[in-house]
Amino acid sequence: MSDSHSPTDARSTDQRRPSRSILRHVAIGSVLFTIAAVQPVAAQDSVVCSAEKLPGMVEGFFQITTTLGFIGLAVIWQADSLAEIFTASPEQKKRLKVHKRAALKSALILAVLGPLYTVVASIMGLPLGDCVNLTPW
């Protein structure tokens, strides 16, 4: 009995997928960079909030991009579901399901980032956190 997965297939899959340690290092580095970059900004007065229309424009831009992200999720989900109906190969169906899951993850991240930034910015004392509400609902 031969194994359906050869060692070369496993190596090529590992090479295409970044390891968790690399992603962890990138995440830690970006958090440290954000903390270091926030210090000069936090020292400034609330220039963003004192601008007349800027907070409203930032809120509107975030709401539009979030709405378009959810519309994109609905379109991708429906298109993939329709493609699954006409797909005969099990491998193609698996790829479509993976694509649907990736679209769902992206939409969830998009929905969580705004409220998360609002909370973190107000905790860290960022000027944008005091005057801009980035929750999409």
Side-chain angles (χ1 to χ4, degrees), residues 66-123:
T66 303
T67 303
L68 290 175
F70 286 131
I71 290 171
L73 168 68
V75 168
I76 288 172
W77 195 275
Q78 291 300 318
D80 285 348
S81 295
L82 181 66
E84 279 180 4
I85 294 171
F86 298 109
T87 302
S89 167
E91 184 179 321
Q92 288 177 336
K93 286 185 179 186
K94 285 180 185 177
R95 282 189 283 163
L96 288 170
K97 287 183 181 182
V98 167
H99 189 247
K100 284 168 60 173
R101 278 191 223 119
L104 183 63
K105 286 179 187 177
S106 297
L108 288 174
I109 289 170
L110 186 63
V112 169
L113 279 182
L116 181 66
Y117 179 79
T118 301
V119 170
V120 170
S122 63
I123 290 172

Side-chain angles (χ1 to χ4, degrees), residues 5-133:
H5 298 288
S6 69
T8 57
D9 290 340
R11 276 183 279 176
S12 65
T13 303
D14 290 339
Q15 289 174 355
R16 283 182 281 173
R17 219 181 297 159
S19 68
R20 290 183 189 259
S21 64
I22 292 173
L23 293 175
R24 188 177 310 128
H25 288 304
V26 169
I28 291 171
S30 63
V31 167
L32 291 176
F33 175 74
T34 303
I35 290 172
V38 164
Q39 295 301 330
V41 174
Q44 298 175 359
D45 288 335
S46 140
V47 177
V48 174
C49 295
S50 64
E52 190 174 319
K53 296 181 181 180
L54 188 60
M57 288 174 58
V58 171
E59 286 178 7
F61 175 76
F62 189 78
Q63 289 174 352
I64 287 172
T65 55
T66 303
T67 303
L68 290 175
F70 286 131
I71 290 171
L73 168 68
V75 168
I76 288 172
W77 195 275
Q78 291 300 318
D80 285 348
S81 295
L82 181 66
E84 279 180 4
I85 294 171
F86 298 109
T87 302
S89 167
E91 184 179 321
Q92 288 177 336
K93 286 185 179 186
K94 285 180 185 177
R95 282 189 283 163
L96 288 170
K97 287 183 181 182
V98 167
H99 189 247
K100 284 168 60 173
R101 278 191 223 119
L104 183 63
K105 286 179 187 177
S106 297
L108 288 174
I109 289 170
L110 186 63
V112 169
L113 279 182
L116 181 66
Y117 179 79
T118 301
V119 170
V120 170
S122 63
I123 290 172
M124 292 178 73
L126 294 177
L128 196 61
D130 295 332
C131 61
V132 176
N133 183 12

